[in-house]
Amino acid sequence: MTAAAPAPTRAEVEPRTVTLITGDRVTLRGPGGSRATIQPGEGRGAVTFGTYRSGNHLYVVPSDVSARVAKGTLDRRLFDVTALAEAGYGDELPLIVTYNGKAQQTRRTIPGATLARQLPVINGAALVVGKESSVLT
């Protein structure tokens, strides 16, 4: 008699959706989020999306930010949809930004961002950005 396969976990059965900082939404389905459906954000119909896997993680990188990700000026982990979903970042994403000038100026340049904490040691701020925002467009 063979042992029955373990029942799929909730994360393997229920779709999980994350919103990228570009405003694009990615829905993960299947075991371990193996399939992704991408819905471009408002006004982003012409953007294409590159997807790749690294280990068990799926990355979805919009074409209009891919050069910045490749250069390292944008952290590629912002597009690791597997990690974002596992961490529970569906509709809000915490960010640390650095800036020239005062933190209050940063709040005004990222529509929809909420200042969580000023970080004067790094001349930056901790922000929370909701799904209705498109930080990089």
Side-chain angles (χ1 to χ4, degrees), residues 16-56:
R16 298 173 292 168
T17 300
V18 296
T19 303
L20 300 176
I21 62 171
T22 53
D24 308 303
R25 294 180 59 107
V26 180
T27 301
L28 300 173
R29 292 181 172 80
S34 58
R35 295 185 318 270
T37 303
I38 304 165
Q39 179 182 358
E42 187 175 330
R44 295 178 51 76
V47 174
T48 60
F49 298 87
T51 61
Y52 66 93
R53 288 199 174 274
S54 179
N56 292 329

Side-chain angles (χ1 to χ4, degrees), residues 2-3 14 25 29 31-32 52 59 62 78 87-89 94 108 119 122:
T2 59
E14 292 183 11
R25 294 180 59 107
R29 292 181 172 80
Y52 66 93
Y59 293 79
L78 292 168
Y89 297 130
R108 285 192 294 270
L119 305 170
I122 64 165

Side-chain angles (χ1 to χ4, degrees), residues 1 3 5-6 8 10 12 22 34 49 58 79 83-84 93-95 123:
M1 185 173 199
R10 185 174 154 198
E12 293 174 326
T22 53
S34 58
F49 298 87
L58 175 65
F79 304 95
L84 293 171
L93 184 63
L95 298 176
N123 197 29

